[in-house]
């Protein structure tokens, strides 16, 4: 089930299984925990649009493909867990600029 945040809700963190997430400076999304969800497919490029996100935990799933360059849009992320998935390729150079 997709999750969308709007002006009637203001969670600071969510546990999700679909990538239909929006972010705003009024109600910033601060963390996402989607570990242990048996998620499959590529990491959602749209997550890079979450500029205020502090924590992204996608560990312990079955995500595959590469780590998308777009994740560098998460300028405030301090914890990023992509461990225990089926990812391939290298870590994008643009992620070096994220502060951990």
């Amino acid at each position: 089930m997709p999750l969308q945040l709007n002006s009637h809700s203001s969670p600071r963190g969510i546990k999700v299984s679909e990538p239909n997430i929006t972010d705003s400076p009024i109600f910033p999304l601060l963390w996402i925990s989607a570990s242990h969800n048996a998620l499959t497919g590529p990491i959602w490029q749209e997550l890079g649009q979450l500029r205020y996100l502090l924590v992204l935990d996608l560990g312990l799933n079955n995500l595959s493909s590469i780590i998308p360059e777009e994740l560098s849009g998460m300028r405030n992320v301090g914890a990023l867990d992509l461990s225990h998935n089926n990812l391939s390729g290298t870590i994008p150079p643009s992620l070096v600029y994220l502060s951990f």
Side-chain angles (χ1 to χ4, degrees):
M1 171 191 285
L3 173 71
Q4 269 199 289
L5 302 179
N6 57 43
S7 61
H8 302 295
S9 62
S10 60
R12 295 294 184 219
I14 58 173
K15 189 169 183 172
V16 300
S17 59
E18 295 286 334
N20 192 8
I21 303 167
T22 58
D23 191 26
S24 79
I26 297 170
F27 298 113
L29 186 61
L30 299 180
W31 61 267
I32 295 175
S33 175
S35 64
H36 291 78
N37 270 314
L39 300 176
T40 60
I43 295 173
W44 313 304
Q45 295 176 358
E46 294 83 1
L47 291 172
Q49 298 173 13
L50 299 175
R51 298 176 309 217
Y52 307 100
L53 195 68
L54 300 176
V55 176
L56 176 59
D57 182 2
L58 298 177
L60 296 158
N61 283 292
N62 291 309
L63 296 171
S64 58
S65 192
I66 62 168
I67 300 171
E69 277 285 332
E70 289 82 0
L71 292 188
S72 65
M74 301 182 305
R75 299 272 182 217
N76 294 306
V77 74
L80 175 62
D81 186 355
L82 303 176
S83 65
H84 303 285
N85 281 289
N86 297 312
L87 300 171
S88 60
T90 60
I91 297 172
S94 60
L95 292 182
V96 172
Y97 299 108
L98 295 178
S99 56
F100 292 99

